[in-house]
């Protein structure tokens, strides 16, 4: 029950008690002081007032005496009359004071009686004394006043002074009594209060010592132990309901935290290592990894996650790097290819240009061929005519040759006759020679003739033979000529056929050439278009080349950027 | 390397210095240009080119031979659709009634410049287009605005059906851009290696498939020329493979279309 009270409540109990006691004491003190005040008030209103009035009456009486003496001394009527008036007004002051004093201090009746006597005597004596003075009997007035007016004054004055002194003494005594009473009370109160406060303080001290300090000391010891790193202690305080319980529970938390801190402390190196890894990764080196072997708990998790992150970044960047390089290579290749295409397009353009030129030339050639074909056709017709005529001539020739052959045969017959004659002449010459020889000397001349005849016959025979040979030759030639002319005729006939065929062919060639010409001119148009297309392609390809070079540069820039990351 | 090849190399370097063309892309055309000449003639030609001014006829012939005039109407229409839908209305609003100023840098034979004019008319914008190219011959063709529907890759290969209304037929299968559209475009021979004269503050610059022909170093000058003709808010259109290397004045307007850039207005508008 007590342990579950909060320290404040524990301390509030004695303090509250103390306050209650203080309040009670104060109340008592205040009541007593209030009573004392009232006592003093009544003192002031009765005894002290009475003393004051007594003194006042004494003064008035004394002044009245002095005024009366002044009046007696004055000789001028106006002077003593005025003084008498002042005396009267003084005397008028006595009655109300006397009455009040009578109320406040009835026990001073004797003294008051004396005052009344003095007043009455003075009031009674004043007018007669004044009358004497007015009658200028100054001696008589003085005597009269001394006998009647003044006689009661001194006892009254004395009585009043005495009363005042008595009242003064009574008041002083009452005050002293009252103060003593109060002092006594205060002393009692202080003593009682001190005792009570002492008891309460002792109680509070006990409470504090037992309920607060001791547990705090125990807790402090444990906290100190914990701060030293040793969390091995029991903590029954944690079950308390007061602040110390809260402290104990907090200490439990501290102990847990201390455990964690211990873990964290022991893991500081690990953290630094992980930090190093992160820093290195931040410096674009993605090959680093946190070594997980010597790590446990959340640090291992963090390490694993960082590894995952770095690994992911590494893979992504490596992938990007590979792809970027691939892109760079591809773009470079494409760039080269487009360059080649561009070059090819230019070559193609040139080639197409050459084709166009060739076509123009071939069209020209075709036109020429066509013209030539027409000419050839005409020539063919002419040739056909000529062949026809040739055939006729060949026939004529054949006939002539036939005639020549016939004539030759006749000549041959004649020649044979001549040859026979010559042969017989030769034999005759031989016979003549023989006969001449037998004739001897006379026959010598004849021998010569015979020899000459023989020679003639021989040459005739030779000539005839020659003629025969020639004629045979001529006959053979004629036969050959006939055969030849027949051949010529046949050839001419076949030539005529061929010429007409050729002529027909040439005509068809000419037609074909015309068609060809039309086709070629169309092709020419197409090729011109093609040239336009090729030229457009070439220009476009060049622009693409330029673009590809730019792309290649961009790819290279990107590759360089990615290459800043070191990956594995 | 023969003397003739050395001559080609030196002319290549000269062309790069004067016109910024990438030597890697020059080679084939330059070889073709030099093809019929002997080594000595090549050397003579190279010497001549080194001393002759740009207005020289050989230089002009060489320039015409070196340039690739690949262009057609509504090229990269995806990009142009974004321009028509999202960009021109904003530029018009910003111009507060003043006509827009567009620059088509590297216009070749003018198809792209006229396409921009079509877009302006389609979106109801008023504007002027300056179109420039290095080749006087191409600029002359562009000024004529006459295009033929030749077979193959002709200028009309990507023309939307609706855009035919901007053309009038002429004899021989030719189509001429309508006079009122031609009046929107002015052409100029200009070398992108130098800034435009007179200076321009364009609302939109289209420089597409032009920088691909420039070497890396010369692109610095091209980009400077583009920036010189721009102001905060200027939109820049680039070709698909192009990007700026030397200036960060222009930034892509959206991730979806990185080839549409702009010079951000102060205050991020």
């Amino acid at each position: 029950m007590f342990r579950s009270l909060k320290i404040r409540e524990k301390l509030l109990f004695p303090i509250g008690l103390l306050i209650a006691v203080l309040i009670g004491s104060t109340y008592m003190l205040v009541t007593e002081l209030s009573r004392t005040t009232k006592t003093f008030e009544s003192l002031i209103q009765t005894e002290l007032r009475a003393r004051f009035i007594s003194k006042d009456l004494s003064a008035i009486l004394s002044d009245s005496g002095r005024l009366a003496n002044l009046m007696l001394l004055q000789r001028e009527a106006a002077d003593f009359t005025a003084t008498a008036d002042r005396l009267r007004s003084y005397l008028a002051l006595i009655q109300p004071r006397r009455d009040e004093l009578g109320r406040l201090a009835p026990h001073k009746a004797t003294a008051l009686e004396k005052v009344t006597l003095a007043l009455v005597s003075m009031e009674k004596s004043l007018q007669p004394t004044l009358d004497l003075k007015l009658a200028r009997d100054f001696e008589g007035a003085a005597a009269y006043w001394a006998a009647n007016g003044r006689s009661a004054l001194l006892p009254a004055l004395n009585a009043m002074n005495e009363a005042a002194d008595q009242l003064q003494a009574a008041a002083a005594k009452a005050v002293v009594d009252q103060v003593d009473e109060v002092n006594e009370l205060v002393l009692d109160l202080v003593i009682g209060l001190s005792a009570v406060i002492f008891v309460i303080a002792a109680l509070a001290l006990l409470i504090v010592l037992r309920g607060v300090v001791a547990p705090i000391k125990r807790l402090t010891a444990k906290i100190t132990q914990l701060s030293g790193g040793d969390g091995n202690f029991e903590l029954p305080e944690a079950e308390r309901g007061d602040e110390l319980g809260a402290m104990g529970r907090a200490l439990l938390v501290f102990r847990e935290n201390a455990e964690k801190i211990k873990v964290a402390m022991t893991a500081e190196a690990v953290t630094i290592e992980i930090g190093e890894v992160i820093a290195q990764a931040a410096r674009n080196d993605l090959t680093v990894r946190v070594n997980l072997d010597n790590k446990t708990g959340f640090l291992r998790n963090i390490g694993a996650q960082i590894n995952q992150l770095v690994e992911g970044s590494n893979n992504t960047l490596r992938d990007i790097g590979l792809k970027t390089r691939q892109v760079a290579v591809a773009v470079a290749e494409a760039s080269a290819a487009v360059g080649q295409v561009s070059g090819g397009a230019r070559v193609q353009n040139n080639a197409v240009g050459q084709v166009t030129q060739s076509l123009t030339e071939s069209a020209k050639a075709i036109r020429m061929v066509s013209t030539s074909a027409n000419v050839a056709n005409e020539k063919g017709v002419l040739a056909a005519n000529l062949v026809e005529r040739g055939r006729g001539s060949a026939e004529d020739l054949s006939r002539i040759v036939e005639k020549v052959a016939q004539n030759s045969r006749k000549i041959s017959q004649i020649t044979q006759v001549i040859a026979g004659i010559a042969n017989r002449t030769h034999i005759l010459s031989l016979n003549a020679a023989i006969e001449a020889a037998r004739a001897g000397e006379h026959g010598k001349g004849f021998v010569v003739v015979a020899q000459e005849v023989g020679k003639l016959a021989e040459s005739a025979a030779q000539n005839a033979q020659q003629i025969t040979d020639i004629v045979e030759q001529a006959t053979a030639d004629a036969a050959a000529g006939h055969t030849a002319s027949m051949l010529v005729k046949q050839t001419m006939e076949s030539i005529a056929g061929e010429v007409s065929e050729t002529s027909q062919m040439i005509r068809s060639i000419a037609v074909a050439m015309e068609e060809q010409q039309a086709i070629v001119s169309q092709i020419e148009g197409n090729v011109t278009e093609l040239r336009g297309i090729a030229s457009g392609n070439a220009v476009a390809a060049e622009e693409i080349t330029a673009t590809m070079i730019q792309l290649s540069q961009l790819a290279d820039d990107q590759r360089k950027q990615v290459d800043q990351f070191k990956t594995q | 390397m023969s003397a003739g090849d050395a001559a080609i190399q030196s002319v290549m370097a000269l062309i790069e210095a004067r016109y910024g063309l990438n030597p890697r892309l020059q080679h084939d055309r330059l070889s073709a240009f030099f093809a019929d000449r002997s080594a000595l003639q090549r050397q003579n030609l190279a010497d001549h080119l080194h001393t002759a001014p740009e207005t020289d006829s050989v230089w002009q012939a060489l320039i015409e031979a070196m340039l690739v005039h690949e262009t057609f109407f509504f090229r990269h229409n995806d990009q142009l659709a974004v321009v028509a839908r999202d960009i021109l209305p904003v530029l018009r609003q910003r111009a507060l009634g003043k006509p827009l100023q567009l620059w088509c840098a590297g216009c070749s034979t003018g198809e792209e410049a006229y396409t921009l004019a079509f877009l302006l008319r389609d979106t109801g914008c008023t504007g002027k287009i300056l179109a420039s190219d290095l080749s006087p011959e191409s600029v002359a063709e562009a000024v004529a605005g006459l295009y033929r529907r030749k077979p193959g890759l002709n200028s009309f290969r990507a023309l939307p059906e609706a855009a035919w209304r901007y053309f009038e037929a002429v004899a021989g299968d030719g189509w001429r851009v309508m006079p009122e559209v031609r009046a929107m475009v002015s052409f100029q021979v200009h070398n992108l290696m130098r800034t435009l004269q007179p200076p321009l503050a364009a609302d939109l610059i289209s420089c597409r498939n032009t920088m691909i022909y420039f070497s890396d170093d010369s692109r610095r000058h091209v980009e400077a020329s583009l920036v010189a003709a721009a102001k905060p808010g200027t939109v820049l259109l680039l070709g698909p493979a192009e990007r700026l290397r030397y200036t960060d004045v222009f930034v892509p307007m959206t991730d979806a279309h990185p080839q549409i850039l702009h010079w951000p207005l102060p205050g991020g508008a």
Side-chain angles (χ1 to χ4, degrees):
Chain A
M1 173 64 190
F2 180 71
R3 285 164 66 103
S4 66
L5 283 175
K6 307 270 185 246
I7 291 175
R8 189 181 55 175
E9 286 158 5
K10 283 174 191 159
L11 290 177
L12 273 179
F13 174 67
I15 290 168
L17 209 58
L18 194 65
I19 288 168
V21 169
L22 282 174
I23 287 171
S25 316
T26 309
Y27 179 74
M28 283 170 72
L29 202 61
V30 167
T31 314
E32 188 53 37
L33 284 175
S34 151
R35 204 169 60 77
T36 308
T37 309
K38 273 180 191 146
T39 310
F40 284 162
E41 262 176 21
S42 76
L43 265 175
I44 288 162
Q45 275 168 6
T46 53
E47 263 103 323
L48 285 176
R49 175 80 181 160
R51 178 192 160 272
F52 171 73
I53 292 168
S54 302
K55 276 279 180 190
D56 198 22
L57 276 175
S58 163
I60 291 169
L61 288 171
S62 166
D63 285 351
S64 302
R66 275 198 298 274
L67 280 172
N69 291 342
L70 181 65
M71 183 185 72
L72 291 178
L73 288 173
Q74 285 169 329
R75 297 291 174 102
E76 292 299 320
D79 291 345
F80 55 74
T81 309
T83 307
D85 286 343
R86 281 182 66 194
L87 182 60
R88 265 193 212 96
S89 69
Y90 264 72
L91 291 179
L93 294 171
I94 293 171
Q95 188 63 39
R97 283 167 175 74
R98 196 207 67 90
D99 291 348
E100 195 184 353
L101 191 61
R103 277 199 310 280
L104 291 171
H107 54 282
K108 301 290 177 202
T110 323
L112 283 171
E113 204 55 43
K114 288 178 180 170
V115 172
T116 309
L117 196 64
L119 175 64
V120 171
S121 64
M122 277 194 284
E123 278 179 335
K124 274 186 184 164
S125 320
L126 181 59
Q127 197 56 46
T129 309
L130 198 59
D131 289 341
L132 286 173
K133 289 278 286 187
L134 285 170
R136 306 208 60 88
D137 180 10
F138 300 114
E139 300 295 326
Y144 181 83
W145 178 260
N148 298 306
R150 192 184 294 159
S151 59
L153 186 61
L154 201 60
L157 200 61
N158 288 336
M160 271 304 104
N161 279 337
E162 195 182 344
D165 289 346
Q166 282 167 359
L167 283 166
Q168 170 83 42
K173 189 180 180 300
V175 167
V176 168
D177 287 352
Q178 189 60 42
V179 167
D180 283 353
E181 202 180 324
V182 170
N183 279 350
E184 213 168 313
L185 182 75
V186 168
L187 191 64
D188 290 350
L189 263 175
V190 166
I191 291 167
L193 207 56
S194 301
V196 170
I197 285 170
F198 178 76
V199 169
I200 289 168
L203 183 67
L205 191 65
L206 190 68
I207 288 169
V208 169
L209 284 175
R210 287 284 306 273
V212 180
V213 174
I216 283 177
K217 277 177 91 174
R218 287 199 297 278
L219 276 173
T220 306
K222 286 169 187 173
I223 288 169
T224 311
Q225 192 183 342
L226 186 61
S227 74
D230 181 7
N232 187 19
F233 48 76
E234 293 295 312
L235 206 63
E237 288 88 347
E239 283 152 31
R240 293 170 69 109
D242 58 359
E243 286 88 345
L244 292 164
M247 272 173 77
R249 286 190 293 281
L251 191 57
L252 279 180
V253 176
F254 285 157
R255 187 162 65 178
E256 281 170 32
N257 287 346
E259 284 298 316
K260 288 178 189 165
I261 288 166
K262 205 160 141 190
V263 171
M265 294 276 277
T266 52
E268 195 183 353
V270 179
T271 315
I272 289 168
E273 185 193 328
I274 291 174
E276 273 299 308
V277 169
I278 294 171
Q280 238 173 308
R283 285 193 296 270
N284 296 346
D285 181 1
L286 300 177
T287 59
V288 288
R289 295 288 182 277
V290 178
N291 182 12
L292 298 178
D293 295 343
N294 55 354
K295 293 169 192 65
T296 52
F298 73 102
L299 282 169
R300 190 185 164 88
N301 290 345
I302 289 173
Q305 280 162 9
I306 284 164
N307 279 355
Q308 218 174 332
L309 179 70
V310 176
E311 180 80 34
S313 306
N314 175 65
N315 291 346
T316 309
L317 271 165
R318 191 184 50 202
D319 208 29
I320 291 173
L322 288 176
K323 282 175 184 157
T324 308
R325 266 189 283 280
Q326 200 181 338
V327 167
V329 169
V331 167
E333 270 180 28
S335 177
V338 167
Q340 285 166 3
V341 167
S342 170
R346 192 180 298 104
V347 170
Q348 181 194 0
N349 199 13
N350 292 343
V352 170
Q354 284 171 359
V355 168
T356 316
Q357 212 170 349
S358 310
L359 273 171
T360 313
E361 274 167 23
S362 86
K364 229 186 279 175
I366 286 166
R367 265 195 302 282
M368 277 165 69
V369 168
S370 179
T371 314
S372 308
N374 284 333
V375 170
N377 189 25
E378 284 163 21
K379 293 258 162 77
V381 172
L382 277 175
N385 292 342
L386 285 174
V387 166
E388 192 57 35
R389 272 156 65 185
R391 196 164 60 95
S393 304
E395 273 174 18
D396 290 349
L397 185 65
S398 178
R399 274 194 300 275
I400 292 163
V401 168
E402 188 63 30
K403 267 188 190 159
V404 169
Q406 283 169 2
N407 292 343
S408 298
R409 271 192 301 277
K410 283 175 191 163
I411 292 168
S412 185
Q413 284 163 1
I414 297 164
T415 315
Q416 274 168 359
V417 173
I418 294 168
I421 297 167
N423 213 15
R424 266 180 294 172
T425 310
H426 188 241
I427 292 164
L428 283 172
S429 74
L430 282 177
N431 289 339
I434 293 164
E435 289 305 320
R438 267 186 316 185
E441 204 53 37
H442 298 296
K444 276 189 178 173
F446 200 68
V447 169
V448 172
V449 172
Q451 280 174 338
E452 283 305 311
V453 170
K455 281 179 189 172
L456 271 173
E458 209 170 336
S459 84
Q462 275 172 353
N463 285 338
Q465 191 56 44
Q466 275 175 356
I467 287 166
T468 305
D469 289 349
I470 288 167
V471 166
E472 272 176 3
Q473 188 65 43
T475 308
D477 285 353
H482 183 250
T483 313
S485 68
M486 285 316 285
L487 206 61
V488 165
K489 188 190 162 198
Q490 275 173 3
T491 310
M492 280 301 174
E493 274 167 359
S494 71
I495 284 175
E498 278 174 11
V499 163
S500 111
E501 253 177 47
T502 306
S503 180
Q504 217 164 352
M505 274 167 68
I506 287 172
R507 269 198 298 281
S508 60
I509 284 172
V511 170
M513 279 299 154
E514 266 165 36
E515 265 178 31
Q516 194 68 20
Q517 205 177 337
I519 290 166
V520 164
S521 72
Q522 202 173 346
I523 289 174
E524 217 178 347
N526 290 343
V527 168
T528 308
E529 269 188 10
L530 199 61
R531 191 177 187 191
I533 293 168
S535 137
N537 288 350
V539 170
E542 269 188 85
E543 180 125 337
I544 293 170
T545 308
T547 307
M548 289 307 289
I549 287 171
Q550 284 313 296
L551 280 181
S552 153
Q553 207 165 18
L554 288 180
D556 200 47
D557 288 352
Q558 196 183 349
R559 183 187 57 72
K560 278 178 195 153
Q561 266 179 337
V562 172
D563 277 350
Q564 286 176 357
F565 288 94
K566 188 177 166 197
T567 58
Q568 52 180 210
Chain B
M1 191 190 289
S2 74
D5 286 341
I8 291 181
Q9 294 295 333
S10 79
V11 173
M12 242 183 225
L14 194 58
I15 291 174
E16 192 193 349
R18 285 197 182 182
Y19 301 105
L21 299 183
N22 188 350
R24 208 173 146 186
L25 291 163
Q26 289 182 41
H27 186 268
D28 288 356
R29 280 174 175 256
L30 203 58
S31 300
F33 190 78
F34 277 85
D36 296 334
R37 292 175 165 86
S38 70
L40 187 64
Q41 282 173 325
R42 289 179 187 189
Q43 196 53 59
N44 283 339
L45 187 60
D47 292 346
H48 173 76
L49 288 170
H50 271 277
T51 52
E54 288 177 21
T55 48
D56 179 75
S57 62
V58 183
W59 261 116
Q60 290 298 314
L62 182 59
I63 285 308
E64 297 296 345
M66 294 308 296
L67 295 182
V68 179
H69 299 303
E70 164 69 354
T71 179
F72 49 94
F73 292 110
F74 287 94
R75 188 171 189 186
H76 308 316
N77 202 11
D78 290 354
Q79 194 185 50
L80 296 177
V82 175
V83 170
R85 192 187 65 223
D86 299 336
I87 292 175
L88 287 179
V90 174
L91 292 180
R92 178 176 58 179
Q93 203 176 10
R94 211 184 278 158
L96 304 169
K98 280 189 288 180
L100 295 177
Q101 177 67 62
L102 278 60
W103 178 25
C104 182
C107 68
S108 185
T109 43
E111 285 89 333
E112 191 168 324
Y114 288 127
T115 303
L116 289 174
F118 302 157
L119 291 184
L120 283 179
R121 288 180 82 89
D122 284 347
T123 52
C125 296
T126 53
K128 296 177 291 180
I129 298 163
L130 174 71
S132 67
D133 198 80
L134 182 57
S135 153
E137 284 181 17
S138 297
V139 167
E141 274 185 55
V143 169
L146 176 63
Y147 302 95
R148 300 204 176 273
R149 284 183 87 175
K150 51 189 185 192
L153 302 173
N154 62 27
S155 302
F156 300 98
R157 69 186 90 157
L159 191 79
E161 202 58 42
W164 278 109
R165 69 176 186 278
Y166 294 122
F167 292 90
E168 55 186 4
V170 295
D173 201 25
W175 294 84
R176 192 191 296 276
V177 180
M178 300 290 269
E180 57 264 39
V181 181
R182 271 188 284 144
M184 295 167 70
V185 189
S186 58
F187 290 93
Q188 178 180 336
V189 175
H190 170 245
N191 179 0
L192 269 173
M193 296 284 280
R194 294 195 270 273
T195 52
L196 265 181
Q197 289 301 331
L200 194 73
D203 297 297
L204 184 143
I205 301 172
S206 172
C207 183
R208 306 193 302 173
N209 302 307
T210 305
M211 276 199 280
I212 52 175
Y213 292 105
F214 286 81
S215 68
D216 244 15
D217 289 340
S218 14
R219 247 174 257 180
R220 187 190 299 278
H221 302 290
V222 178
E223 290 178 20
S225 301
L226 295 179
V227 172
K231 61 186 176 183
T234 297
V235 175
L236 173 66
L237 307 181
L238 291 180
E242 291 166 329
R243 65 175 184 151
L244 300 175
R245 286 177 174 275
Y246 298 101
T247 173
D248 53 3
V249 165
F250 293 102
V251 296
M253 289 183 85
T254 60
D255 286 349
H257 299 281
Q259 303 311 98
I260 303 178
L261 302 97
H262 72 153
W263 183 338
L265 282 174

